[in-house]
Amino acid sequence: CFGLSFLINQGSVLFIFPIILVVFLKGDNYIFFKFIKKLSFSFLFPNLIFVILYWNKNLLDVYMANYIQIPLGYSNESLSSFYELRVFLREISTVNLFFYFFIVSLLIFYFLNEFLHKQSKLSEYFDIVNLNFICALGYYFIAGHNFYHHLVYLIYFSTFFITKISKQSQINLLWTLLTISVLTSSINTFPKAVDNLSNLDKTYENYTLKNLAEEIDENITSKEFTVLALDFVLVLHYLDKPNFSYIVHPTNHYQDYITNVLINLDKIKDDNIQYLLSLQPDVIICNTMSIDAGGRVMSTDPSNYGEDVKDNSNHFCNFINFENDYFQLNTESYKSDPNLNYYYDPYKEMNVFIKKDI
């Protein structure tokens, strides 16, 4: 399981260390080394399979970049903070107040039971629950980007705190809060979920980017065409097309720790977006601005990505740069569709340019 999870998310390797430490603290050297041998084999086996697969496709350099160089560059950003954890909890309170109180109560009861009412040696605190929680918290800070999905391990391993709570009154309160939170969430979501599942065709028709993909397809006579999606990449799925770019994830075009590695591997070019545009793909999907994590309107132009948007400036994704060879779709209805995003971004554009002669 560790070997497979590492292939999916390299950061999961952190959770090998709590198990190793717990086995080591038991003090039996024979059992410990036998365990290490079995763990090493089972961890390396699935990875070795993929090393062979990559090597067979002459992609071993990409494998090494993806599992070593790029993750190290990613973790060097060091942007995570405890303040963002408070923001995360505050957002939970706006969604379900009872679940928020459940989380807070669980944490309080855990610390009261673990550290105030327990007289024991320091080594006894290093059990699998506490160590996994420490590693989960460490994973969030090592990832260093304040992204909420980096809390997935913290959320999972926090549920084991319930095993540390011995007072029945505290357990009863937690179960009460959890039950009420489930009921309130069900009341709010169940009717809509039933409606969505009982009317699948209607639900599917409301998929914003699917409808956009269909309009793109209707405006192209040729079955063979290329798509450069610098944003809204789900359109590629509905068109059943690969991205014209080697990089797929939108923001990865602007991350030096990714682009520099790929340039060295000769997978992309310097000034890669400008180079791709010069090749004139049949369809271009892009935008010039967006709201960043702090709510600031920033440029998504490759020449000044992340900077404040300047009025009356000519960004690469403006129609004036494409009008000789492309026409532009009217995407206002898609952009304002409430089904597009959970959080509406009034500044983010949805520019779609289609070559005139296809």
Side-chain angles (χ1 to χ4, degrees):
C1 287
F2 272 121
L4 293 173
S5 65
F6 177 77
L7 288 168
I8 299 168
N9 187 320
Q10 297 90 329
S12 63
V13 73
L14 285 175
F15 298 95
I16 287 180
F17 298 108
I19 293 181
I20 291 176
L21 184 58
V22 167
V23 176
F24 174 76
L25 290 176
K26 290 183 177 179
D28 190 317
N29 290 336
Y30 173 76
I31 293 177
F32 176 71
F33 286 112
K34 183 179 179 181
F35 168 77
I36 292 296
K37 183 171 67 174
K38 291 172 65 177
L39 181 64
S40 299
F41 173 78
S42 59
F43 177 82
L44 293 173
F45 181 72
N47 285 275
L48 182 61
I49 292 174
F50 278 85
V51 166
I52 294 171
L53 289 173
Y54 273 72
W55 171 77
N56 187 52
K57 299 292 184 181
N58 294 318
L59 291 171
L60 192 57
D61 53 351
V62 175
Y63 179 93
M64 300 300 292
N66 186 57
Y67 285 94
I68 299 176
Q69 293 168 271
I70 291 177
L72 289 175
Y74 185 86
S75 61
N76 283 336
E77 298 287 292
S78 300
L79 300 175
S80 296
S81 65
F82 279 104
Y83 175 78
E84 197 62 28
L85 290 175
R86 289 172 53 199
V87 174
F88 177 66
L89 278 175
R90 189 171 66 223
E91 290 193 13
I92 290 176
S93 70
T94 63
V95 176
N96 190 314
L97 191 60
F98 290 101
F99 189 61
Y100 168 78
F101 284 130
F102 168 78
I103 294 173
V104 172
S105 300
L106 177 62
L107 292 173
I108 292 173
F109 293 157
Y110 163 71
F111 284 108
L112 287 176
N113 282 268
E114 188 71 1
F115 297 104
L116 296 183
H117 298 161
K118 188 174 181 180
Q119 301 295 327
S120 58
K121 298 179 182 178
L122 181 63
S123 60
E124 293 184 18
Y125 289 105
F126 294 113
D127 60 20
I128 195 67
V129 173
N130 291 337
L131 291 172
N132 277 332
F133 175 74
I134 292 171
C135 283
L137 191 63
Y139 175 85
Y140 172 74
F141 285 99
I142 290 172
H145 283 73
N146 271 337
F147 294 151
Y148 289 160
H149 62 265
H150 291 153
L151 296 171
V152 61
Y153 294 116
L154 191 66
I155 293 170
Y156 173 76
F157 285 112
S158 294
T159 61
F160 290 92
F161 286 170
I162 197 74
T163 64
K164 298 282 189 175
I165 298 172
S166 56
K167 291 188 176 181
Q168 191 61 43
S169 59
Q170 295 175 351
I171 294 175
N172 291 341
L173 177 60
L174 289 172
W175 279 115
T176 301
L177 290 171
L178 185 60
T179 301
I180 295 174
S181 70
V182 170
L183 289 174
T184 54
S185 292
S186 299
I187 291 170
N188 293 329
T189 61
F190 189 74
K192 189 173 183 178
V194 170
D195 181 63
N196 288 338
L197 293 173
S198 59
N199 299 281
L200 291 179
D201 291 338
K202 178 184 174 182
T203 301
Y204 201 44
E205 288 172 3
N206 290 327
Y207 282 22
T208 310
L209 295 181
K210 170 183 173 292
N211 295 331
L212 173 60
E214 289 177 349
E215 184 172 347
I216 292 173
D217 203 30
E218 290 170 359
N219 281 274
I220 298 175
T221 56
S222 173
K223 293 297 181 183
E224 299 298 325
F225 59 91
T226 55
V227 182
L228 173 59
L230 298 174
D231 210 330
F232 307 106
V233 294
L234 190 58
V235 170
L236 297 168
H237 165 71
Y238 295 121
L239 290 173
D240 194 21
K241 297 289 182 182
N243 206 345
F244 192 68
S245 167
Y246 188 83
I247 295 175
V248 177
H249 193 291
T251 58
N252 286 356
H253 291 279
Y254 312 101
Q255 306 293 344
D256 289 341
Y257 65 88
I258 294 175
T259 56
N260 289 340
V261 171
L262 295 179
I263 289 171
N264 291 335
L265 294 177
D266 200 29
K267 298 298 180 182
I268 65 173
K269 305 289 185 183
D270 288 314
D271 300 321
N272 192 56
I273 292 178
Q274 291 89 335
Y275 169 75
L276 294 172
L277 293 173
S278 71
L279 299 178
Q280 293 194 323
D282 300 318
V283 179
I284 299 171
I285 305 172
C286 58
N287 63 70
T288 65
M289 67 184 77
S290 182
I291 293 180
D292 70 0
R296 178 178 60 92
V297 182
M298 70 173 196
S299 170
T300 55
D301 191 294
S303 62
N304 55 4
Y305 179 81
E307 298 180 7
D308 291 333
V309 174
K310 297 179 180 178
D311 294 336
N312 302 319
S313 57
N314 182 22
H315 294 273
F316 86 103
C317 196
N318 290 340
F319 179 58
I320 192 173
N321 299 321
F322 300 95
E323 59 183 348
N324 292 332
D325 302 298
Y326 294 80
F327 65 90
Q328 184 174 8
L329 289 185
N330 183 351
T331 58
E332 283 302 314
S333 61
Y334 302 115
K335 177 189 168 186
S336 59
D337 191 329
N339 292 323
L340 178 61
N341 290 308
Y342 187 78
Y343 295 108
Y344 176 64
D345 185 344
Y347 299 98
K348 189 172 184 177
E349 298 169 331
M350 184 188 284
N351 295 329
V352 179
F353 308 112
I354 301 177
K355 194 178 284 188
K356 294 177 180 179
D357 57 354
I358 63 169

